[in-house]
Amino acid sequence: MYINGGPGSSSMVGLFQENGPCQVVEIAQGRLGTQPNAWGWDRSTNIIYVDQPNEVGFSYDTLTNGSLNLFTSSIQEPPTVLPSVQPNTTFLNGTFSSNSIKTTTNTTEIAARAVWYMLQGFLGAFPQYNPGTYANSTKPGAVGVNLFAESYGGKYGPAFAAFWEQQNLRRKNGSIPRNKTLEVHLTTLGIMQGCIDDLVQGQYYPIFANNNTYGIEALSLTDQQSAASSYLSSNGCQQLIQACRNTAASQDPANNGNVTAVNQICQKAQSTCNNEVIGPYTESGRNIYDITQQNPSPFPPSTYLEYLNSADVQAAVGVAINYTETSTAVTDAFIQSGDYEKGNQIKQLAYLLSSGVHVALVYGDRDYICNWFGGEAVAFSIAAQSTAYAPFYSAGYADIVVNDSYVGGAVRQFGNLSFSRIYDAGHLIPAYQPETAFTVFTRVIMGSDISLGEPVDLRTYKSNGTANATETAKAPHQADPTCWVRNIENTCSEDQKATLQQGRGCIVNGVLYDQCDDWKAPDSSISMSAGFPGNGPSSSMTAGPSPTGSDRSKTTSVPLTGVFTATATPSPSRKSAASCNERVSWELVLGDCLLIFAWALI
């Protein structure tokens, strides 16, 4: 199971921009399709992408007609007339969820319950997808799940997993009926670029902004020291987080999000941390998801937004609403409850380790907003919860050998706990480094050593290498912006926004061009490898798109099966360059790609 974060972000981000079986490509003018992703994680396991909480992505409560302003990503309900100063290409009528914060989830713990019920319903309705179902057996066993969660998934993942374990115990003691529920057995929890706990990670924002492995000073030393002081000051970020958690523990221990006093103090903690510690970085104009790039950043491509809103795709999937990447209703609901700072995630992660679950933290080294400095600190904090994991501190950083010519990162690993730094990757790691991300993912779920992919006894295994991951690199060149009209705020320059506002330019397949002649038709081979609803491709493989501005992403062309096991570290060991309200589910073949969509109404 793969879950994106936000809160309020659709997991179609993971499916189409990161590690899914398909990638959206241009076939011709006015025609988008999908082609297989060489490094899709479906090569190693069945995978389901879940849009949650309710109102995120394709999930909805009540179908509601409205108008979507692409400049602000805001939805007005009911539909309204086109503003006189805005072109109709940026103001669209459609059908959405209610966008009400009263009918969605507002805390991580409530979201955990909803996803558990979604799994019960999905596997109950489609037992053929239940990995606990065995031939000639009428009683399915435990459902083995590898849960990978990204960004805000650093909060979702531990809470979801802990709740599943609690539900398993309730089944055993009879608190919930065993004959009407399935045991959900978590094998692995992977956290990709997770914002897990500001009490641990918060202090590393100003440090990373000023002194990172790319030599970029997004904050001056003076501004860095000011932000660091704000974190530690009286009534500052750190103290407010602790006050939030103390109040929540006494007044809302289940994090139901319905105690005003708790919500207010936790919301204050979040806003203080954002404004005084995390926020100063934005004055640099650098992208929060990739410190090497100025805003706006064109990577990864937003082509899939146009694809999921095309009539033939929506008809094939059977959806009743228009797709949006982020639900502002969910985001606002979580902000108002102060959920971000309430967390008990590190203790939950330690509990999962003690239960035999593999816990893998994976961080790209170009991301600011959930940076790897803070992620590494979280790994040490988890290990500190148990004397059994004291050897994690003395484990060394070993090279992550991706293939026989490429080292994709460094990993510290002891037992079931690992921390991986992925070189040259921003927030959406698999988009930047698809082969490395696939390799790490597969080695994690196989229980092998992450460095080489060799079978090991995880009860005693400890990685060998340097005490710190000190690899440095030169930042790639600044990429030219590509303006996707369904993602104006994040991808369009001020000049491009002005062009759109004035009704000038030419929009082809969701991208703004100065003139229609500027659009270049894709290579004819694309039509051979890509398909669209009702028309499959005639060939079957592609490597992923390269992150614009990067010269060190690495992929190789290999068959769509198998995983690399290294026999030695490549020489030279450093990177070589290449490219790179009902519960319902649908199964759909788009082109040659099998997509399973699941939505749950709560």
Side-chain angles (χ1 to χ4, degrees):
M1 177 182 289
Y2 197 85
I3 295 175
N4 282 84
S9 292
S10 166
S11 294
M12 300 303 100
V13 171
L15 174 58
F16 287 108
Q17 289 190 306
E18 299 188 79
N19 51 35
C22 309
Q23 296 170 324
V24 178
V25 294
E26 290 185 290
I27 296 177
Q29 187 168 353
R31 170 65 71 185
L32 299 174
T34 58
Q35 61 184 10
N37 176 12
W39 299 108
W41 289 7
D42 59 302
R43 285 175 55 178
S44 293
T45 181
N46 293 327
I47 185 166
I48 184 171
Y49 298 81
V50 182
D51 273 347
Q52 65 81 46
N54 179 39
E55 300 190 37
V56 169
F58 279 122
S59 67
Y60 63 90
D61 51 352
T62 304
L63 292 175
T64 309
N65 291 331
S67 299
L68 172 62
N69 187 332
L70 295 180
F71 276 106
T72 61
S73 297
S74 61
I75 298 172
Q76 294 176 266
E77 296 171 347
T80 185
V81 297
L82 175 71
S84 59
V85 296
Q86 190 163 347
N88 58 11
T89 53
T90 61
F91 195 84
L92 309 176
N93 289 331
T95 303
F96 309 93
S97 67
S98 71
N99 283 291
S100 170
I101 64 173
K102 296 180 180 180
T103 56
T104 188
T105 300
N106 68 341
T107 75
T108 296
E109 276 67 24
I110 296 175
R113 300 169 209 164
V115 171
W116 183 84
Y117 280 105
M118 185 281 298
L119 266 180
Q120 298 292 316
F122 179 79
L123 295 176
F126 301 98
Q128 67 268 34
Y129 297 122
N130 185 347
T133 300
Y134 302 99
N136 302 318
S137 173
T138 59
K139 295 183 179 180
V143 181
V145 174
N146 299 299
L147 172 63
F148 277 69
E150 184 175 77
S151 193
Y152 206 87
K155 302 181 188 300
Y156 287 151
F160 288 16
F163 181 76
W164 296 351
E165 291 295 314
Q166 292 165 11
Q167 289 296 84
N168 292 340
L169 293 175
R170 293 185 181 108
R171 291 182 77 253
K172 290 179 180 179
N173 66 26
S175 299
I176 57 177
R178 298 185 64 175
N179 61 341
K180 294 183 179 180
T181 58
L182 297 170
E183 178 183 353
V184 180
H185 174 69
L186 187 71
T187 303
T188 301
L189 173 61
I191 296 179
M192 308 286 291
Q193 216 70 41
C195 287
I196 298 171
D197 188 345
D198 266 355
L199 209 53
V200 174
Q201 294 171 277
Q203 61 187 305
Y204 292 96
Y205 285 102
I207 295 172
F208 184 85
N210 173 261
N211 186 18
N212 49 75
T213 54
Y214 289 90
I216 294 170
E217 292 186 9
L219 284 183
S220 68
L221 182 59
T222 299
D223 289 338
Q224 181 226 319
Q225 291 171 340
S226 175
S229 296
S230 295
Y231 178 80
L232 296 169
S233 66
S234 177
N235 208 34
C237 176
Q238 184 184 56
Q239 289 189 7
L240 287 173
I241 293 172
Q242 196 58 64
C244 157
R245 295 182 184 180
N246 292 341
T247 307
S250 62
Q251 299 185 37
D252 187 17
N255 194 17
N256 290 318
N258 57 359
V259 180
T260 300
V262 174
N263 294 349
Q264 288 178 341
I265 191 170
C266 292
Q267 185 179 359
K268 180 180 179 182
Q270 181 181 357
S271 63
T272 299
C273 294
N274 283 346
N275 294 336
E276 298 181 6
V277 180
I278 302 171
Y281 168 91
T282 61
E283 297 298 318
S284 69
R286 291 194 171 272
N287 192 273
I288 62 172
Y289 303 119
D290 184 349
I291 195 170
T292 71
Q293 297 294 295
Q294 295 282 340
N295 290 317
S297 174
F299 191 83
S302 293
T303 321
Y304 88 102
L305 295 174
E306 197 71 23
Y307 175 75
L308 290 183
N309 280 289
S310 61
D312 53 356
V313 172
Q314 291 180 336
V317 177
V319 295
I321 69 170
N322 293 97
Y323 176 79
T324 52
E325 186 174 89
T326 301
S327 168
T328 56
V330 171
T331 302
D332 291 345
F334 273 71
I335 289 174
Q336 290 182 26
S337 75
D339 183 79
Y340 196 89
E341 305 297 0
K342 290 180 179 178
N344 194 30
Q345 278 76 15
I346 287 178
K347 288 185 177 180
Q348 290 169 334
L349 290 165
Y351 164 71
L352 294 171
L353 275 181
S354 69
S355 301
V357 176
H358 300 162
V359 175
L361 308 182
V362 186
Y363 285 76
D365 63 9
R366 282 162 56 171
D367 182 42
Y368 167 77
I369 200 62
C370 304
N371 62 73
W372 75 272
F373 288 9
E376 181 185 49
V378 166
F380 285 125
S381 295
I382 296 168
Q385 298 286 316
S386 171
T387 55
Y389 274 83
F392 182 81
Y393 283 84
S394 58
Y397 275 104
D399 287 335
I400 299 174
V401 182
V402 176
N403 55 51
D404 57 12
S405 65
Y406 181 70
V407 171
V411 60
R412 182 191 296 269
Q413 183 177 8
F414 172 72
N416 285 334
L417 177 63
S418 65
F419 172 81
S420 299
R421 170 193 168 189
I422 308 301
Y423 299 143
D424 307 302
H427 194 68
L428 304 183
I429 300 170
Y432 287 82
Q433 298 294 341
E435 184 176 359
T436 301
F438 168 79
T439 300
V440 170
F441 165 74
T442 303
R443 291 173 182 174
V444 167
I445 66 173
M446 291 175 62
S448 58
D449 92 292
I450 297 172
S451 171
L452 300 176
E454 296 177 341
V456 293
D457 184 349
L458 288 180
R459 292 172 298 180
T460 58
Y461 175 76
K462 182 171 72 170
S463 58
N464 294 313
T466 59
N468 298 297
T470 58
E471 184 72 36
T472 60
K474 182 181 178 181
H477 68 271
Q478 175 64 37
D480 294 330
T482 299
C483 179
W484 279 277
V485 294
R486 289 186 181 271
N487 194 8
I488 293 173
E489 185 176 358
N490 295 316
T491 68
C492 302
S493 68
E494 293 304 314
D495 287 345
Q496 289 168 329
K497 291 176 184 178
T499 296
L500 282 171
Q501 189 72 57
Q502 295 162 13
R504 296 185 289 109
C506 178
I507 297 172
V508 180
N509 295 337
V511 176
L512 174 69
Y513 296 90
D514 289 335
Q515 300 176 23
C516 292
D517 289 344
D518 292 338
W519 178 79
K520 303 300 180 185
D523 189 274
S524 59
S525 63
I526 294 293
S527 63
M528 302 289 289
S529 64
F532 52 89
N535 293 272
S538 55
S539 64
S540 65
M541 200 184 106
T542 181
S546 307
T548 306
S550 173
D551 59 359
R552 299 187 299 158
S553 173
K554 178 64 180 176
T555 62
T556 59
S557 296
V558 297
L560 293 175
T561 57
V563 62
F564 181 78
T565 300
T567 56
T569 299
S571 181
S573 63
R574 190 55 171 122
K575 298 150 282 299
S576 58
S579 69
C580 224
N581 60 41
E582 36 196 333
R583 187 174 294 110
V584 189
S585 67
W586 287 267
E587 180 182 291
L588 172 68
V589 175
L590 296 185
D592 208 28
C593 300
L594 175 65
L595 309 184
I596 299 175
F597 294 85
W599 296 277
L601 177 66
I602 56 172

